[in-house]
Every structure is written in structure tokens, then in C-alpha cells.
Amino acid sequence: MATSAEQAPRLTSKLNHLSLEPRWPHDRGPFDDDCTGRSFWLTPKHNNDHSEIRYIRILPTTDEILCQKRPYMPPKDPPDGTNDRRSKAWMLDVQFRHLRYDVFEPVIDASFHASQHLASNFNAPSQLDYQVRQKTVRGTQYSLFRDVRLEDSRFENEGIHLRFSFACPAHLRQTRMLSSGHFESGMLIALIGLDTENTISTTFLRTELCQSTISMKPMTGNYLRASVVASFVDPFDTTTMRQTLYSLKGLHNKEKFVIVEFPKVLVAGFYWILKHLQFLSSSNTEISFSNLITPSHAPRLQQNAPPAYSNSGSSPFDLGVLQEIYKSDARSPLRLGPDFVALKSADQEAIIQEVCSTTTLDYGQATALCENLARGLAFTQGPPGTGKTFLGVSLAKVVLQHAPKPILVACMTNHALDNFLGDLVKQGITKIARIGRGSKEEWTGGYTLPSIRKNFQKSEEGLGQKIKKDRAYQSVQALWRQGTAWCESLNTHTLTWAAVADHLKTSYPQLFSDFSRYESPKEQKILDIRQGRNEAGGYAFEHWCSGKDLVDTEDFSRNARSFFNKAMTPSDAVDTSSDSESSSIDLSLQRPHIPVIYPYDYRGHNAWSMPMDVRAAWITRWKSELGSSSPIDKLIEIQRRYVEARKVKQECHDESDAKILANQQVIGLTTTACAKYWSMLKSLDLETLICEEAGEVSEAQTLTTLLPSIKHAIFIGDPLQLRPQVNQPDLSLENVYGAKYRLDESLFERMVLPRTSNVQPMLASKLDLQRRMHPDVAELIRGTVYPYLKDHPATSHFPIAGMVHRTFWLDHREPEDAPNPSVASSKSYSNSFECAMVCELVRYLLNTNDFGSGEIAVLVPYSQQLACIQEKLAGTRACSIALSDKDKEELIDMGLLDENEQSQFKTDVKVFPMVRLATIDGFQGEEAKVIILSTVRSNLNDRVGFLRTTNRINVACSRARNGFYIVGNSTLLRTVEMIFLPCGHEFSVVDLDAQLELSMIYSLSTSGEILAMKHTMAEGCKRLPKCPKCDAALDSVPRYRHFRQFQLASNAIERLYRKFGRKICMLARNVQEYRKNLQKGFEWFCDNFAPGPLTGKANTAMIKTRLLYITPVEMAITGFRDNVLLPAEKNIAHIGIVLGKGYVATLIQLCFDAVAESLGSEVDNLDRSERAERLTLENPETAGIFRSCYQSFDPYLNGNATTAELWTAKTREFWETWGEYEVGSLRYCQQGHPYSRKAFEGCPECGGRKVSAGQVEDRANYEKVLDRDMFFKAMRKMGNQN
């Protein structure tokens, strides 16, 4: 979909080289977010640092991996004044860059560390046993496999596959590699090479198959090497394929290779989403409701417009499908018009009450149903246990009665999708197509697209469609066979027919004819005559290379059949829906036609009578003529044609599948699958979207579901529960840096709970009746998060056996376990005391014999604690343990669970009794009869950790039906500070800090403590702090009142810069004018100045006249000092905090002091000359341009020089540029340098360029106007002496 990266403009960046130092530090922030100057357009950091995302290669380049500069990362909110069109582009740019960084930052970090390891051990001998697991300085964990070799290549469904063998450590030999979790199918790995010239190469691959040391023994002769079969991530990137094969085959310098395995990086998890964002950015494709969802600082006009398809004269929504009473009496079914939200409150209330009385919906669900049907873009917030899925199913049933086209159902996970579709099936909706893999439910097998395709009537396909599919199939099959032949040629040292055929046809046509014409095309029933000839010629050539002659025709026919049968058809090339004849080659019909052996003297030889040594000589000659790179080049060309043919074939299948899907009622898929099959879905012109658990879906994934044809989008979820998961804390709302980026903020949350000032939230329906928790348990979240939440009468459950209280906190002060920095799980935490208490409580509850399968669940915030509890409970015979696949993989990756241990874990809940162990994040959407929560953290530093956010606390406290028990340090958790605003709303300090972007004003510790005020201004400082819920001002709140002070300071600073800039330019122009006057009168002065006693009086008069020209200069400079400089000096201590590296004002002061010092004036400072010298060196592009002036001016004032360089072209242009400064254009770069956005494209110190390059003649040098009174006194003194 997206523009190919090969078409990207070439960037002129300096080549980055591998450094053995750690990667760039985070001491000044992790990102470069200079989005105003966009200085990276002019000076890219690496060869993949494009300004337009459509040109960025999704996979990191080697130059990008080696780059030591901070990556550019735009903030989520666009700059002020961004129009709608630019706002959409900004949204796509932000989502692409944020998601790409989140995925590839650990990949880049691990690849950089592996490259350093490879360089450090390049000459070290190979080791048979070594440590696989590695950890970078930043804590990124990965696996490193050494001594990598290319064993062979093969041509599979996706094209070229490569098999790499590597030295296998002892603990992974035999079959242990297969059960270790390494090299699972579809995961991302990197092949990193280093040659003798210290050049690093990086190729990213997708794993296809892992082979143990036992499988590799026939090839290696020992049990010391295992292998992995991998394919290229981008099958269209033939340039990377060619370079990789050249390197692996040693056609370049000798290279040493390692394989890097990145845990939990699934190619399908990121590739299609990023590809789709590039496509949207580079095309004119519309995004549904883009006028509402694009970020903007302008107030959003509330849109309550009904779905577009309901305004086209269609009938109202028929709610009879939900009603039960009307079926047994004379009442007609209820109908809902699209103008529901425009009705009066009384009319709306009457409709809602009727819906409640005639359906099983409660009041909140009935209200949400009516509002969702009447809004084109609808949001519903459902607290835990309020029936969000039930509402979604009800909406689907109503819409299906109204809309003629299928409904698109999209979910974040396969689990959520299966639950929703399963409820639809229970309601009698069976025309469902589930697209994509990943379902673990057996019942979904009959609803998958391949299953439905089998039942599709072939007769419904037109003749043209069948012909097109057959041709596409034939093309793919033919190219696959050619690719297989070329791979064989590449694998072996012998010359194959595929490699030599074209060369013989061109240079040796008679030999080519002998090898290729033995069969008669008329007697062969084959699918492709040309392919059959090629294979037949291949056997003749192989027969000839082996030294045999064509004597025994029966033997020839028998061996030829065996030769042809070596070629197997690729599995995905078989067209099961085609009724054409078999595509296999039939060689059993007749004896092949044997060419006549005629004697001819071909350079003195007869082809079939050549002895073996002569044939070997010819083969050697042909190899030399072809060159060593020929098989690779030919294979790459076959790959290019093959993927293009497969693309055409896939388009044919998509056309057929689209017809199948058009006959369904519901199309269900995950958001990732939606991005992959977007083109096919777009062709269906779907109009209705239902997105379940929308609060967990990232904004990038949500954009893939908003097809251009969608007219009714319904999002159901809860932004107050778990947010979308992110890998990099620097992009998360829970991190002090992440408040500007908010990758874990879903579209649902951004629209309903906006953090941008002046933006009105979208109206959202709210469900308010929960059916899960006992009222005592529900009170925990009702008193903090959902004050409107009500309890259904059915929640009054029976008491818990053996327990007096339904909710209880086992308080303690036992410290948490000290983390071991040498292990992979050092960033996780555990608490042995809580582990023991939890396990004893579990055993006590199990002994009551009152709990069934999965009715007890233990939740923890950390994987380390999960592993501790698992280890203790694993030895309990009374219970078996259920651990989710996600949590199990997490424990294996962190080294907390033996890779080969199958032990007592169950991936399904079928054993009685059973305890479910899970992290809080892994239990979203689940529930249990009894929940036991271990908070883990207990320390003297008041570090709460994961439980400092209300979203995670909300999830933990809302999973229990009957009982909820907490084991933890209550004193520590009380430090989760809450703040009560004057308007009456309550927030956790962490959440409110993030929403108000407090990190822009203060330097914060990792725990959120205010350390100091920042030295540079930020865009967020210009927005007054307001309550996120009611927009009430927060000026009276001490924690946030500095926002206002910073805003006032910002205005004062900008006025200061404007005054300095304009006054200096005015002064410089005046001095320049006086200089011109002095130069004009210089010749007259020389001509009329004469020595002698009689001319003394006239000479004195001329000198005084010349001195009069200096008096205006003196007045101008002293006026600048009194009116500009001195008032600023009085307040310099106050504004110095804000100016930080405000080098303009500092430079002015230093230059004045330097001049005064040179004239003999007493300056109450140490060494101003040294300070000025250091300043010019630290800031070469700004203060540094005055260096030559300063160095020549100092000896001139000391009498050691007769002339001085008072101005240069650079200094004139610099001050003239600052003279154009306007209030509102002040910006600060990441280094703290101020610059004018109007005058510069970026910080001039950091490489930005001036906006206008116009020439201004005779611009004054600022150095000249920095003289004080002492300079003029010295001049007058010199004049009097003369």
C-alpha cells in the first residue's frame, strides 16, 4: 500500500560508525522534538531520517542503528494554528513515528549492543558453549547466537528462504531447542555481519522454522549446531536480498555473522499497521470522521449527527428484534428515528422507558442503545461488569435489521473477538466470517474464511474471473519452479540447467538445442509448454554432466520421470476452487522423443561423445563466463517477478473473497488483520463498525478500522481501565516524559477525556448498572472512580466460606525483596512475605471445598512476584495452576521460568480445583469469585511503582464477584497522592500532572517529585491550567500556579528579545551611517591636513570636526546602555532562571565588559576575556561568529595593532535577523538555545538556517556598537594629544 522505500529521496547525512561507547544518554531527555524548526530536514541524523513518513523504511537501517543522536519525536498535539488538513497529516506522522519507536527502540538497542559484541570478539576463537541471553546497558534483553553460517536457500511460498546454522549452546542441544521458545514462527530476528574493513551490515528476517541439533546432524556431522529457517520481512525489497546473499556467499569482504533474536517482537504485530499509516499519509484516501477525530487546539463543535445512511430516506431502526412482550400481545414493535438526540428530554425519556419495559436492557443500556443508533460517531463508557458486550450484541442485532451490508466488528485481541462473535452466535446470528488466525476456540473453525470458501458455489464465479485466476496460478507455479531451480544452483557447486540455459542459448545455440529439444510438445500434456521444455532440457543437461550418453531410451524415460517429480508445487499455489485439469507434468503417456545424435565438430568436439574431463572443462569455462554473482542475480530477478505474480494472484482471491464476505451479516477480525486486509474490506463499502474494548485499542490501530465508507462507528469500552500497552515508558502517560506523546492514549480516551485545553469532549453514553461485584466490593470503585455506579439486585451473593469479611486488607511493613541486578528480571519486584501470605490464604480457601475451577485468582503487578507465587503453589498437591500464555511467555523471557518446564501449568481451565495466576494487565476483561491481590512494593522511599496509576488500580479492584482480599503495605499506598481541586473534582496527582504536562515546567524525578524549575520555556507553558473535567481555572492550586507565572515570564522575555533585537539593529545602522560619513571625509582630511607651525590651528579645527562625528555615536551607545542594557541588568538575576542559555543577552554583557577592561576600566569580575573566549567556543554558530572580531579588537585597544576587524558578513546578518524578531515566534531547542521561528528554520546554533537569504548592504557589526564611555574618553584623549 505504501510508497516503496526505494523511491525515497536520498539523504545527504554523515555516515555513522560503530562506537564501543554506550548509546546516547537520557540525561537531557530521550527525544528531539523540535517540531517547529524541523532542523532534521536540513541535517538528517542518518539515512532513514526522512521528513515524510512515506519514505521511512519500516525496518531500521544499519546507519540508523549506529546513530548516536536522539531520534526526532513530535509531540501528540499539533502546534497552534494547524489547519484541518495539516492536522490530519500531523496525526498520521505522530502515530507512525511513535509506534515505530515503540517497536524498534529495543530492536535498535539490542542490535547496537550485538554489533559492539561482534566487533569486540571478531578475532576471538569460536566457542562451542556460551551464554545466549544478553542484556544491554539500558536493560534490553535479547538472545545472541554465534558462529552463523548459511547452509542453503530454498524457494517457499513467500519466496526466498534461508537456512542458517549456528553454534548451539549445551543447554539447548538435542531437542531442547524446540521447546525453549526460541525462534518461534513469525518472530523478528536480525542477521548482523562484520567484515574485515569493520563495516557492519544488518538484515532483518522473519523466522519460519527452528531445527534442533539432531535434525542438523546429517548436514553438520555432529550435535553441536542447530539451525533456523528465515524469510525476508519485506519480500519486495530485492536490494536487501541481493546484498545479503552477496555477503553470505563471500562475494564481498569476508564477514563474521551473528543472529539476534528479539523476544516478543512479532512481525505481523507491527508491519501491517505501520504500512497502512504510510499508505494513508501518501494517498488521498479519506479516514471516516476525520473532521472530528483529527487533533486540534480549536474548540470542537459538538457533533450529534445521526449515521449518514439513516439520513437518506431509509426507515427508522426497528427495535422489535430486542422486544419480547410485543410478540405475545397486539402491540407493534418499537421504532427509533435518527432524530432521537434532537428530541425533547421528555420524549427521549418515554422512548427509553418503553425500551426498558419491553427488552432485557436496563436503563443505562437502553439509553446507550438509543444514543448510539442516533450518532454517527458514538462512544459508550462501561464500568466493569455493566454489560458492554451485551450492549454491543444488541446494537448489532438492530443494525442488521436496518443495514443491507455486513457489520464490521473489530477487537484488539483474538480473545475479545471470539467472545463477542460467540455471543452473536448464541443470539442466532450465524452468517459470520472470522478473518485471520489466532483463535483458540474450536467453534470458530466453521466461521473462518477458508471454511466458508469451501462451501461457496464455484458456479457463482464468472468465466472471466476463472480465467484470470488460472493465469495467475500458472504464473506463480512456473516462477516458483524457476526459483526452486535457481536456489538449487545457488546451494550446490555444480552448474545447473537453470543457471546455464540462457547463456547456452545465446553463446552456444547448438548445444542448447541438443539439451532442450528431446521432447515433442504435441505429445506432452503439461500446463506450461515452455516450463516443460525447460525441465526436459534440465534432465538432458544433468544426464550430460554426469558423463552419460543417450543410449538406453527406456532408462532415460524412467529417470526423467524421477527428475520431474523432484519439483513440488508450493502449497499456496494450489487453486482448490479451480476445476481445471491437474497441473502436474504427465511423463507416462509416451516415450520421449530422443534427438538424433548427429556428428558435428563443435570446436573440435562432439557434445555427446565428449569424455568426462572435456565436459568438466566446458562446465568450468561456463562457470567462469557466468561469474559467481550470476545465480544470485538471477534468483533475485525471479523473486521480484514471483512476488508480483503472487500479488496478482492474491488480488484475484480477494475479489472472490469479497463476494463471499458481501453475503455475510458480520465480518469479525482483529485490528491488525484489519490493516492487512484493508484493501479487500474497502471494496465492500462497509457502513457500520463496532469496536469492542475500544479503550485498549491504540489510536494507530483504530485508524485502520475507519474505512472511507464507514458511516456509523460505535466504540464501546472504558478509558478508565487499562490503556493500550506500550513498550517504551518514555511514550507513556505514566512517565514524566511521556505526557507530551501519550502513545498509550486511545482514540476513545482522547475524544471523551481530552487533555488538550479548549477542546470539548465528545458526548459519550454511560452504563451505570453493574452485575458482577457484591455491593461491598463495588464500593471500592464507586467511591473513587464511578460515583454513579449502581448495583443490580442479583449481586447480593452468598457469603464466602471460611471468611467473615468480603473485603479485607492484610496490612504489613515487611520490606520488598532487593532486586538482583545480575539477572534479567532486575527491573521486576517481589515480596517474599506477601508471597507466603497469599499462598497460605489460597490453601485455606481451597480446604473449604467451596470453590470450583478457576474461581480463585491471584493478581500481582510484577512478573517476579508471579514467579515466586507459582513456585510456592506448584508444590501444593491440592491445586493445579493456570497461567495465561502471555504471562508464561513473560516469565520465560525474563528467565523466571525454566524454558523446558511443562510442569503443572495448564493453558486451559479444566482441572479441578485450579488457581489462576495473572498480572493485573493480563486480567483485563476477566473475573473470578475471589480475587487475592498482592501489591508487592514496600520500601522506605515511598516508591509505589505500577499501582500509582488509577487505571491499573481500577482493574485490580473490579475483578472480584464475591470477595476481594489485599496483602500489602497500606502506608506506602497512601502515598498515591490525591488532589482535590477547588471545583470539587478529585484526581490522583500522577494523572493530573500528566494531563497538565507538568514535566514542561518542572524537572521531575522518576517518582514524580518536583526537583527544580526548568530553564527553558515549553509550548505547554502558554496554556493556563484547567480542570480536565470542567475547565475551572487552577491558579489558586499551589502545585500548578507557576504555569501562570511562566506565561507572564514568557511574554516578558519575548518583549525583551524584541527590544534588544530592534534597538541593536537601530544602533548598528546609525553607527554604520556615521562610519560612512567619516569615510567620505577622510580623503578631504588627508588632502587638507598639512604639517608646519602655520597650519596647526587649521589642523586642530579639522581634528575637532572629525571628533564631532563621533559624538552622535557616543550618544547612541550611552542611550542604548541607559535605556536598554541597564534596565535589563537590574532584573537579570530574576530572569536568568528562565533564560538559561540565553546567550544573546549574555554575549552583550561579556562584550561590554571586554571593551571596558581593554580600556583600563575596573571590572568587578574575574576574567571576562576568558569567559568571552569560552562562550565563543561553546556556541560556534552564534557567539562564535564574533570570535574573529573579538580577537582583532582586543590588541587594537591595547595599542598592539593599528586596525581591527569590527564586523563581518556573518555578524551583520545575525543581528539583522534578530532585528526582524516578532513577539510569539520565540522557540527553544533541546539544548536550551533561544531562536526566532520567524527568522530561522531551526536553532542557528544547532544547524538551522535563516528563512530569508536576502542580501542587506552595509549591515553594521554589533561588535562596533558595544563600546562604553571609556572608549570615547580614550579617543578624546588621543585626539587632544594629537
Side-chain angles (χ1 to χ4, degrees), residues 903-1184:
S903 67
Q904 302 178 41
F905 282 113
K906 312 294 179 184
T907 57
D908 54 356
V909 184
K910 293 182 180 178
V911 181
F912 176 84
M914 181 176 289
V915 177
R916 301 165 68 185
L917 301 182
T919 57
I920 297 175
D921 291 2
F923 211 68
Q924 167 86 333
E926 301 290 334
E927 62 181 55
K929 190 174 183 179
V930 172
I931 294 291
I932 303 173
L933 172 65
S934 171
T935 63
V936 180
R937 302 304 300 272
S938 180
N939 52 70
L940 299 178
N941 300 322
D942 292 338
R943 297 187 181 276
V944 182
F946 284 162
L947 291 180
R948 69 178 180 270
T949 57
T950 56
N951 294 68
R952 192 171 279 112
I953 295 175
N954 183 20
V955 173
C957 295
S958 59
R959 303 299 101 193
R961 295 197 304 270
N962 266 16
F964 181 47
Y965 304 100
I966 304 175
V967 181
N969 186 335
S970 62
T971 303
L972 180 66
L973 288 181
R974 287 196 186 102
T975 62
V976 180
E977 189 177 354
M978 302 298 292
I979 187 168
F980 297 87
L981 303 182
C983 58
H985 291 114
E986 175 187 359
F987 294 88
S988 74
V989 173
V990 174
D991 287 346
L992 191 57
D993 284 355
Q995 294 186 45
L996 296 181
E997 299 178 335
L998 187 68
S999 60
M1000 293 185 175
I1001 302 298
Y1002 303 100
S1003 295
L1004 303 176
S1005 68
T1006 55
S1007 60
E1009 178 186 0
I1010 297 178
L1011 301 177
M1013 297 175 66
K1014 285 194 171 180
H1015 293 307
T1016 59
M1017 292 296 299
E1019 291 297 316
C1021 306
K1022 298 182 180 180
R1023 299 193 294 269
L1024 293 178
K1026 295 182 179 180
C1027 173
K1029 292 185 177 180
C1030 65
D1031 286 340
L1034 302 182
D1035 294 351
S1036 60
V1037 181
R1039 187 175 181 87
Y1040 306 114
R1041 65 187 177 191
H1042 287 296
F1043 273 87
R1044 180 62 177 170
Q1045 296 176 1
F1046 264 80
Q1047 187 180 44
L1048 297 175
S1050 175
N1051 295 334
I1053 292 169
E1054 292 211 48
R1055 290 195 300 271
L1056 174 65
Y1057 275 114
R1058 183 176 183 272
K1059 186 172 183 179
F1060 263 111
R1062 297 196 175 187
K1063 290 290 185 180
I1064 288 176
C1065 286
M1066 185 182 301
L1067 179 64
R1069 292 191 181 104
N1070 291 336
V1071 173
Q1072 183 66 16
E1073 187 65 27
Y1074 301 143
R1075 176 178 177 273
K1076 287 183 178 180
N1077 294 333
L1078 287 171
Q1079 287 179 339
K1080 290 179 181 178
F1082 182 70
E1083 293 183 1
W1084 172 85
F1085 179 83
C1086 294
D1087 293 340
N1088 292 278
F1089 189 89
L1094 299 179
T1095 59
K1097 187 175 181 179
N1099 290 341
T1100 301
M1102 285 191 294
I1103 292 174
K1104 290 182 178 181
T1105 302
R1106 297 281 291 174
L1107 289 175
L1108 291 176
Y1109 285 107
I1110 302 178
T1111 302
V1113 181
E1114 179 181 7
M1115 295 177 61
I1117 294 179
T1118 54
F1120 177 81
R1121 179 199 62 189
D1122 296 335
N1123 299 324
V1124 180
L1125 183 64
L1126 291 180
E1129 287 180 334
K1130 291 179 181 179
N1131 298 300
I1132 195 70
H1134 178 69
I1135 67 174
I1137 297 177
V1138 182
L1139 282 175
K1141 293 184 178 180
Y1143 48 80
V1144 177
T1146 308
L1147 178 63
I1148 294 172
Q1149 179 64 42
L1150 287 175
C1151 288
F1152 270 113
D1153 292 338
V1155 173
E1157 183 181 13
S1158 299
L1159 293 174
S1161 175
E1162 294 183 1
V1163 181
D1164 54 348
N1165 208 325
L1166 295 177
D1167 191 347
R1168 297 299 182 100
S1169 299
E1170 183 179 349
R1171 287 179 58 196
E1173 181 81 6
R1174 184 170 63 251
L1175 187 68
T1176 58
L1177 293 175
E1178 291 177 351
N1179 304 277
E1181 298 299 327
T1182 49

Side-chain angles (χ1 to χ4, degrees), residues 742-757:
R742 310 195 301 275
L743 180 60
D744 54 347
E745 179 186 55
S746 63
L747 178 68
F748 192 119
E749 184 175 4
R750 180 167 69 82
M751 300 299 292
V752 176
L753 301 173
R755 286 176 168 79
T756 306
S757 60

Side-chain angles (χ1 to χ4, degrees), residues 356-368:
C356 291
S357 62
T358 59
T359 68
T360 57
L361 298 173
D362 60 46
Y363 184 85
Q365 292 170 338
T367 303

